[in-house]
Amino acid sequence: MADSTEKTLRIREFPIDENPKYTYLNHEKGILSWLLTIDHKRIGLLYLFSIVFFFFVGGLLALMLRTELLTPAQNILDADTYNQIFTLHGAIMIFLFIIPSIPAALGNFFLPMMIGAKDVAFPRLNLASWYIYILGALFAIYSIITGAVDTGWTFYTPYSTQTDMSVVSMTFAVFILGFSSILTGLNFIVTLHKLRSPGLSWSKMPLFLWSLYATAIIQILATPVLAITVLLLAMERILGIGIFDPAMGGDPVLFQHFFWFYSHPAVYIMIVPAFGIISELISVFSRKTIFGYWAIALSSLAIAFIGFLVWGHHMFVSGQSELSSVVFSFLTFFVGVPTGIKIFNWVATLYKGSIDLKTPMLYALAFLFLFTIGGLTGIMIGALSVNVHLHDTYYIVAHFHYVMMGGTVVAMLGGLHYWWPKITGRMYNEIWGRITCGIIFISFNMTFLPQFVMGSQGMPRRYFNYVDQFQGLHQFSTIGSYFLGFGFLLMAVYLVWSLFKGPKASSNPWKARSLEWMTSSPPPHHNFEYTPVILHGPYDHHKPAKEFRMGYLNKETA
Amino acid sequence: MNRIIEYLLPPQRSVAASEVDSLFTFINVAGFILFMGIMITILIFVIKYRRKSEDDVTPVITHNSILEVTWTIIPILLILIVFSWGFRGFLNLTNVPGNAYEINVTAAAWFWEFRYPDGSTTMNEVFVPVDRPVKFIMRSEDYLHSLYVPDFRIKTDVLPNRYTTTWFQATDTGDSNLFCTEYCGTGHSEMLAIVHVLSAEDFQEWLDGDSGIDEDMPLAELGELTFTNFGCSACHTLDGSPRIGPSLQGLFGSEIELDDGSVVEADEDYIRRSILEPSTQITAGFPANMPTYDGRLNEQQIDGLIAFIKEQ
């Protein structure tokens, strides 16, 4: 660091090595160098492998469910197996895939790079959080092998305290995974406060980082409540202490309050990082300054804050007091406002831009389409009287898939393609990228649009059998899900292919302005060979690129 | 437009339904206009401002206060409308008229039992009068359940530790589906009932009669009627395939292996005991979750069921 008494900054441009010999990938070799690494980039990749694995497992389970639903009566699964599979699909997708997805994989990799740091503030803690995640995953797998769980991912009491399944080990898995999430959040907050490069003020921080910052706050504040909840549940099952089970003097609705006090903010743990990626993609592929930087940054924090006050909207018909339902409904709508503001800002960024429809941008536009539907249907189910009709029907299933998959997963795919050259040093195939994006977009809508219709018509969720009138829509949805699965397989093929045969990527193929592009692809072990100095904002596309490659001119480099 | 909404929603068969549906329609229409506005704007921008050359220069537009205030205020106004509208409908759905006809509902894994003021009961079907408020006073015997009648737009969770209520006033005679919408295990999706809405006269006639059971009916026929009315078929098939419980085909007189390894013959005593104390003899390979029908069936109905099972 420079002497703080220095009056003038001595800086110069550092050219980027386009053919790096030593990168983080070959810095050290062997399996142990990965398993014991404290490099945030490698830990990010460990997370990426893990979540991709669980995404495919969760996806296969979903296809089994959809296949069963081809006919109103039983075809390939029996009722108990079906119930276990939808529980696993939900639990795996939520706890093992989507919560860690963007922050722990892409966030871990790019957060330090985007602030010009060598690593996160606590690199060892970072590795520990991955191991804690794996431990949690092992517990989850253990409970699947020892009899599975059939409670739904929500573990509602008193069913979850009475069913003869491995609920205890599954709740411990959730308990452990929560700590992984808390530690990642803690690490990010400290890193953003303490390790920003000279000149990188809060107003010059990429919006992806603002969104990770908001996410980290929710992770730290909300996740402990989940830990308490599952601990109480386990105590009730193991020790027979009556907390939720009315047979022992408890109250089952109390569980729902505890559960949603975490799980509603958790929805924002899942979606807010996606907002960050979309801000990056829209600006870079329009090559234009982001519209409403502060509106986007602060709306993430606003969503994080309001998100803590709306959990009761999951419980309008649960038997909670009617006054609570009214208050929760009122507050719920106010999440819609900052969310709408973001969408308008992104659209305004496109205005007079130089828009290039590369694969990441296609995903960003797909996100705008799908997430807007997800958001507007959220307004629908926030309305008290309509919610009574739609609660626990397929409308809800469709709504959260539009938000979680159409929102988070699609944004993550956009981010993955966007940063692929930086992570791997190779370019993916642009044509196959676009085709796959199209397949996923269309088949996603085929799968989930009919579910809005079924829900409105009164098809309850978590139904193994259903009344005949819904068969046509169910079959359409199932066929869509097969195409969706095919789209992901196609993506896996061309991405893996690109690792071996893809053309070499330059350091900054998209001509972006944020710091992670101001170093080699793939980056060196310490990210930068110098201490970056930031003069401009991350979206200042009107400033010459070389002004973004400034660094301290210290003794060694002078 | 109306045809789309009609397709999307189940038929309106209660007085509360039209209020709910009009808000549903309003949000759909307003949402659709907003959505199309955003999408068309994006489409126009993407076409008009597509990249022409690598050297494109874009203007620096960081914010626009008037625009930003507008797109904050308009959504706030819209959500206030939607909130108040939803609130008004919710009051309709939760404030039970004082003169409502009360029916006690018991939910248990996995059936619905309805008990009328005169003490008669029905299972998995409920008879209600048209054009008269009907109040369900509900409790659960085990897990959480939720009573949902799409045609009436009502839904309320049923709890094991206290009563919850819901009400409706049916506008047409006819049948509507009643679903359980709170996940409750193996038979969740089988936990259905039918709401029979009868005209005032028919309803009175039904109350005065005794649920269609004729004292002189042959036993096996009485058994078949009981089998249907009490929802036995949710768990037991007649065609040999196992569902939640064993099939009744060829059951009578067969040797049954119980989960403790012992083997018993399925005679009259076995069937009677299986109905009244189901947890004492669980067939190997099946879950121990059949509820007791002690107090729910009278002697004649049990005799009828035994006769019916003999015929299978």
Side-chain angles (χ1 to χ4, degrees):
Chain A
M1 283 288 149
D3 186 358
S4 58
T5 57
E6 228 173 27
K7 286 280 183 290
T8 51
L9 285 174
R10 286 162 56 75
I11 56 172
R12 72 167 174 91
E13 185 196 352
F14 286 81
I16 304 169
D17 184 0
E18 289 295 345
N19 289 297
K21 215 168 148 197
Y22 296 104
T23 70
Y24 81 100
L25 290 169
N26 61 17
H27 172 75
E28 281 177 294
K29 287 205 162 63
I31 185 83
L32 274 183
S33 77
W34 282 88
L35 291 178
L36 297 177
T37 184
I38 50 170
D39 178 3
H40 67 98
K41 299 184 287 299
R42 288 189 169 202
I43 295 170
L45 286 191
L46 290 176
Y47 265 115
L48 189 63
F49 294 137
S50 323
I51 62 162
V52 166
F53 171 75
F54 283 112
F55 182 72
F56 272 89
V57 173
L60 280 177
L61 294 172
L63 292 180
M64 287 167 74
L65 298 177
R66 288 297 342 153
T67 305
E68 170 55 40
L69 292 170
L70 274 172
T71 58
Q74 176 170 341
N75 57 40
I76 59 161
L77 306 170
D78 63 43
D80 285 324
T81 316
Y82 179 87
N83 292 342
Q84 289 162 18
I85 289 182
F86 85 65
T87 301
L88 287 180
H89 166 70
I92 287 176
M93 285 300 199
I94 298 273
F95 295 113
L96 290 169
F97 167 67
I98 203 164
I99 287 181
S101 65
I102 296 176
L106 296 175
N108 239 326
F109 199 107
F110 289 106
L111 180 136
M113 293 187 70
M114 288 173 121
I115 58 172
K118 288 179 179 173
D119 210 314
V120 290
F122 308 116
R124 284 180 181 78
L125 196 63
N126 199 15
L127 182 64
S129 78
W130 183 71
Y131 275 103
I132 294 171
Y133 167 85
I134 292 297
L135 187 68
L138 289 177
F139 259 90
I141 292 168
Y142 168 81
S143 52
I144 295 166
I145 296 169
T146 57
V149 184
D150 70 340
T151 60
W153 78 278
T154 47
F155 304 112
Y156 269 19
T157 54
Y159 187 76
S160 60
T161 52
Q162 290 171 11
T163 181
D164 49 345
M165 298 260 170
S166 345
V167 174
V168 171
S169 54
M170 197 62 171
T171 51
F172 268 113
V174 172
F175 181 77
I176 294 166
L177 289 167
F179 278 97
S180 165
S181 180
I182 293 171
L183 294 179
T184 303
L186 180 76
N187 221 335
F188 284 2
I189 289 183
V190 178
T191 308
L192 288 176
H193 273 276
K194 304 306 286 182
L195 295 186
R196 280 172 290 128
S197 281
L200 188 62
S201 59
W202 289 96
S203 63
K204 291 195 179 111
M205 218 162 70
L207 288 164
F208 180 50
L209 301 188
W210 272 107
S211 75
L212 288 178
Y213 186 68
T215 307
I217 292 173
I218 313 174
Q219 283 176 313
I220 286 186
L221 293 181
T223 317
V225 180
L226 177 71
I228 294 165
T229 312
V230 296
L231 217 53
L232 288 173
L233 187 66
M235 279 165 66
E236 180 162 294
R237 271 192 78 115
I238 300 169
L239 305 174
I241 298 172
I243 297 160
F244 306 123
D245 187 350
M248 295 188 272
D251 183 4
V253 179
L254 179 67
F255 177 84
Q256 297 176 31
H257 278 291
F258 277 165
F259 182 81
W260 290 113
F261 188 89
Y262 164 75
S263 292
H264 194 78
V267 169
Y268 301 109
I269 295 179
M270 306 171 204
I271 190 67
V272 170
F275 294 155
I277 292 182
I278 297 303
S279 303
E280 303 297 319
L281 298 182
I282 300 244
S283 170
V284 167
F285 290 93
S286 307
R287 212 163 275 177
K288 184 159 169 288
T289 311
I290 194 94
F291 185 94
Y293 175 88
W294 280 111
I296 296 178
L298 296 181
S299 62
S300 289
L301 290 175
I303 290 170
F305 174 71
I306 304 170
F308 274 100
L309 306 175
V310 302
W311 76 90
H313 69 213
H314 296 266
M315 301 168 58
F316 288 160
V317 301
S318 71
Q320 74 177 357
S321 84
E322 276 123 27
L323 180 65
S324 317
S325 294
V326 171
V327 173
F328 280 122
S329 167
F330 184 76
L331 292 171
T332 296
F333 286 114
F334 284 89
V335 182
V337 176
T339 313
I341 287 174
K342 278 177 188 290
I343 292 176
F344 294 132
N345 278 294
W346 290 324
V347 176
T349 303
L350 297 173
Y351 176 67
K352 291 198 171 173
S354 164
I355 299 168
D356 191 8
L357 293 181
K358 289 276 190 332
T359 308
M361 186 61 164
L362 285 180
Y363 278 110
L365 297 178
F367 171 95
L368 288 181
F369 185 97
L370 302 173
F371 181 76
T372 305
I373 294 180
L376 289 169
T377 51
I379 297 291
M380 180 72 88
I381 53 183
L384 282 163
S385 61
V386 183
N387 177 280
V388 170
H389 175 58
L390 296 176
H391 180 79
D392 267 338
T393 66
Y394 264 69
Y395 198 93
I396 306 293
V397 177
H399 161 72
F400 68 68
H401 278 94
Y402 264 83
V403 177
M404 295 293 113
M405 190 161 180
T408 307
V409 174
V410 164
M412 182 173 172
L413 295 177
L416 190 65
H417 285 83
Y418 173 59
W419 282 308
W420 189 257
K422 184 55 68 183
I423 296 173
T424 66
R426 303 280 186 166
M427 293 303 288
Y428 60 88
N429 185 301
E430 189 61 47
I431 294 169
W432 280 108
R434 289 179 189 177
I435 291 174
T436 307
C437 179
I439 294 174
I440 288 178
F441 177 74
I442 292 168
S443 58
F444 176 86
N445 284 301
M446 275 179 74
T447 310
F448 293 106
L449 264 184
Q451 300 190 1
F452 279 124
V453 179
M454 278 190 267
S456 310
Q457 291 175 348
M459 166 79 209
R461 68 189 280 206
R462 295 176 168 176
Y463 261 35
F464 159 69
N465 290 341
Y466 52 88
V467 292
D468 296 344
Q469 71 176 101
F470 298 114
Q471 189 173 10
L473 289 165
H474 266 304
Q475 287 181 339
F476 193 81
S477 176
T478 300
I479 291 166
S481 73
Y482 293 154
F483 282 111
L484 195 52
F486 171 73
F488 280 102
L489 276 185
L490 201 60
M491 180 183 302
V493 170
Y494 76 73
L495 285 182
V496 170
W497 187 85
S498 81
L499 290 179
F500 301 99
K501 303 274 181 173
K504 259 188 77 53
S506 69
S507 62
N508 190 0
W510 319 118
K511 297 201 166 56
R513 290 295 190 264
S514 48
L515 262 181
E516 79 272 28
W517 300 103
M518 303 304 153
T519 185
S520 315
S521 298
H525 179 55
H526 284 304
N527 300 344
F528 299 93
E529 303 295 358
Y530 57 96
T531 303
V533 171
I534 285 81
L535 303 177
H536 306 302
Y539 309 109
D540 286 348
H541 289 277
H542 55 290
K543 302 274 174 60
K546 67 183 176 68
E547 291 184 12
F548 291 80
R549 297 193 284 262
M550 294 296 174
Y552 266 126
L553 191 60
N554 53 27
K555 285 193 192 93
E556 287 85 354
T557 53
Chain B
M1 184 63 228
N2 279 340
R3 285 179 58 188
I4 295 174
I5 296 291
E6 262 170 42
Y7 170 71
L8 285 179
L9 289 167
Q12 287 182 0
R13 302 192 56 201
S14 76
V15 288
S18 66
E19 169 95 12
V20 175
D21 294 1
S22 54
L23 178 56
F24 180 86
T25 310
F26 172 77
I27 301 173
N28 270 322
V29 171
F32 186 74
I33 292 170
L34 201 62
F35 177 76
M36 287 315 287
I38 295 170
M39 289 309 131
I40 290 171
T41 313
I42 292 176
L43 197 65
I44 292 172
F45 286 177
V46 166
I47 294 169
K48 194 167 174 197
Y49 302 118
R50 69 188 179 279
R51 185 162 300 170
K52 277 124 195 155
S53 89
E54 275 302 301
D55 309 319
D56 280 355
V57 179
T58 58
V60 181
I61 307 170
T62 57
H63 62 282
N64 179 329
S65 302
I66 296 173
L67 203 57
E68 288 179 76
V69 169
T70 314
W71 72 42
T72 309
I73 301 280
I74 292 179
I76 289 181
L77 291 178
L78 280 174
I79 60 173
L80 287 178
I81 294 173
V82 170
F83 165 74
S84 331
W85 201 335
F87 177 49
R88 205 175 65 177
F90 190 62
L91 288 182
N92 271 345
L93 290 168
T94 48
N95 284 348
V96 191
N99 61 344
Y101 183 80
E102 293 185 352
I103 297 176
N104 280 72
V105 182
T106 304
W110 295 280
F111 62 86
W112 298 97
E113 186 184 58
F114 301 89
R115 195 174 290 271
Y116 302 82
D118 69 353
S120 58
T121 61
T122 51
M123 284 187 79
N124 292 339
E125 57 179 347
V126 56
F127 295 84
V128 297
V130 73
D131 293 330
R132 179 170 171 192
V134 174
K135 178 184 182 183
F136 283 161
I137 302 166
M138 306 181 289
R139 55 176 281 275
S140 163
E141 284 195 349
D142 37 47
Y143 315 128
L144 299 180
H145 301 281
S146 189
L147 182 141
Y148 176 38
V149 185
D151 291 354
F152 299 161
R153 316 287 189 269
I154 57 166
K155 182 183 294 128
T156 302
D157 282 9
V158 184
L159 309 180
N161 56 332
R162 59 191 165 92
Y163 292 107
T164 52
T165 58
T166 188
W167 80 279
F168 59 90
Q169 180 172 336
T171 52
D172 301 303
T173 56
D175 293 348
S176 292
N177 283 324
L178 184 154
F179 298 101
C180 175
T181 46
E182 188 62 73
Y183 172 71
C184 55
T186 317
H188 172 52
S189 63
E190 305 285 340
M191 195 168 154
L192 313 175
I194 304 286
V195 185
H196 302 285
V197 182
L198 305 178
S199 68
E201 304 82 59
D202 287 352
F203 182 68
Q204 196 53 47
E205 199 175 305
W206 175 83
L207 273 182
D208 296 341
D210 47 3
S211 10
I213 291 172
D214 185 349
E215 295 289 321
D216 306 326
M217 206 177 232
L219 266 185
E221 247 177 71
L222 173 69
E224 186 172 4
L225 200 65
T226 312
F227 181 79
T228 321
N229 286 351
F230 283 75
C232 308
S233 58
C235 302
H236 300 282
T237 66
L238 300 175
D239 61 6
S241 61
R243 198 175 271 174
I244 292 155
S247 173
L248 303 183
Q249 190 188 46
L251 175 77
F252 192 83
S254 66
E255 304 262 294
I256 306 236
E257 195 191 336
L258 301 183
D259 61 354
D260 61 2
S262 59
V263 176
V264 294
E265 194 199 333
D267 55 9
E268 285 90 345
D269 275 330
Y270 168 83
I271 293 173
R272 183 187 168 80
R273 205 164 152 216
S274 292
I275 294 172
L276 298 180
E277 301 164 49
S279 57
T280 56
Q281 343 177 64
I282 302 300
T283 307
F286 289 94
N289 51 17
M290 177 167 158
T292 172
Y293 284 79
D294 199 1
R296 292 202 165 96
L297 298 172
N298 62 31
E299 286 303 322
Q300 209 182 350
Q301 286 167 318
I302 295 172
D303 289 345
L305 276 176
I306 293 171
F308 174 67
I309 290 168
K310 278 183 186 168
E311 288 182 354
Q312 299 310 310

